Amino acid sequence: AQSVTQLGSHVSVSEGALVLLRCNYSSSVPPYLFWYVQYPNQGLQLLLKYTTGATLVKGINGFEAEFKKSETSFHLTKPSAHMSDAAEYFCAVTVLSGSARQLTFGSGTQLTVLP
Amino acid sequence: DAGVIQSPRHEVTEMGQEVTLRCKPISGHDYLFWYRQTMMRGLELLIYFNNNVPIDDSGMPEDRFSAKMPNASFSTLKIQPSEPRDSAVYFCASTGGIGYGYTFGSGTRLTVV
């Protein structure tokens, strides 16, 4: 079965600083990887995804992530944090194998942006 | 498209009562998922459907929980009888293909007192 590990349950950055949220995955077959964002009292919103092809993927709100197979990682970055980026971020994985289609989520990283 | 619609947004009920949560997926999406989110356990998959058929219900905590999808545009998650430990946010999500990711509803915050 596949899984993801998010390193750091809480990350704080200053406004304008680089955002780096870490995600490592485990999968015996090629994975599909996703990042979601959750604002308070809201559902999860898809930020970006990697399925096949280009390993550097760009998403909404200036976020991007790079799939590194050799490191089994899919870290999320943004060059310059904005106050509105404060939220919880979830990494998720699935595979196209058998009949299973469910996403497995990491435990989440709470991002705080300091003025 | 209105997105995935869940109702109610908030539900407060007394222990022992029956609770029914509702979900309308995006039209054309043939997968529907029910997740539960708590501080202690994070996001847990309860059950998912493909073309209205339950595929994997191994995440359903116990027999008190049941889910149905009578047609492509409606699903329910029922808890009977409810217990305080069922208090959580319950999310419904749908997708037309896993490569597209899921679209989540806004969730139902359930409080059992």
Side-chain angles (χ1 to χ4, degrees), chain A residues 36 38 49 99 102-103, chain B residues 9 35 37 48 98-99 102:
Chain A
Y36 283 83
Q38 186 179 28
K49 60 182 170 75
S99 61
Q102 64 266 40
L103 280 177
Chain B
R9 285 298 308 273
Y35 279 85
Q37 185 178 37
Y48 81 94
I98 195 58
Y102 295 1

Side-chain angles (χ1 to χ4, degrees), chain A residues 31-53:
Chain A
Y32 283 17
L33 295 159
F34 304 82
W35 275 100
Y36 283 83
V37 60
Q38 186 179 28
Y39 299 102
N41 300 314
Q42 294 187 27
L44 281 73
Q45 179 183 4
L46 181 65
L47 270 180
L48 50 79
K49 60 182 170 75
Y50 168 78
T51 54
T52 57

Side-chain angles (χ1 to χ4, degrees), chain A:
Chain A
Q2 58 275 8
S3 65
V4 290
T5 301
Q6 291 185 239
L7 301 175
S9 58
H10 291 84
V11 170
S12 293
V13 300
S14 298
E15 190 173 20
L18 172 71
V19 176
L20 171 60
L21 304 182
R22 299 179 187 272
C23 173
N24 288 90
Y25 69 91
S26 173
S27 176
S28 58
V29 298
Y32 283 17
L33 295 159
F34 304 82
W35 275 100
Y36 283 83
V37 60
Q38 186 179 28
Y39 299 102
N41 300 314
Q42 294 187 27
L44 281 73
Q45 179 183 4
L46 181 65
L47 270 180
L48 50 79
K49 60 182 170 75
Y50 168 78
T51 54
T52 57
T55 56
L56 180 63
V57 293
K58 297 183 184 299
I60 61 172
N61 303 337
F63 284 93
E64 62 182 37
E66 186 170 10
F67 171 65
K68 292 187 176 181
K69 183 178 178 180
S70 61
E71 299 177 8
T72 62
S73 68
F74 191 58
H75 302 330
L76 182 70
T77 61
K78 182 174 180 178
S80 176
H82 192 272
M83 297 297 289
S84 61
D85 295 327
E88 189 154 23
Y89 292 79
F90 293 91
C91 183
V93 65
T94 190
V95 297
L96 280 184
S97 176
S99 61
R101 292 295 181 267
Q102 64 266 40
L103 280 177
T104 301
F105 286 88
S107 55
T109 297
Q110 183 68 47
L111 176 66
T112 300
V113 182
L114 305 171

Side-chain angles (χ1 to χ4, degrees), chain B residues 11-63:
Chain B
E11 178 81 34
V12 180
T13 191
E14 292 186 347
M15 182 174 63
Q17 296 298 304
E18 178 179 294
V19 176
T20 299
L21 311 181
R22 297 172 175 79
C23 175
K24 176 179 170 56
I26 291 175
S27 177
H29 282 189
D30 51 5
Y31 286 91
L32 184 141
F33 304 81
W34 283 100
Y35 279 85
R36 179 171 67 176
Q37 185 178 37
T38 61
M39 289 291 291
M40 291 296 294
R41 302 173 71 91
L43 278 159
E44 302 175 277
L45 176 66
L46 300 177
I47 186 171
Y48 81 94
F49 297 83
N50 179 217
N51 292 322
N52 314 335
V53 176
I55 302 300
D56 184 352
D57 66 353
S58 60
M60 297 286 262
E62 48 200 273
D63 292 345

Side-chain angles (χ1 to χ4, degrees), chain B residues 94-111:
Chain B
S94 70
T95 185
I98 195 58
Y100 301 108
Y102 295 1
T103 300
F104 279 79
S106 298
T108 295
R109 182 174 296 276
L110 174 65
T111 304

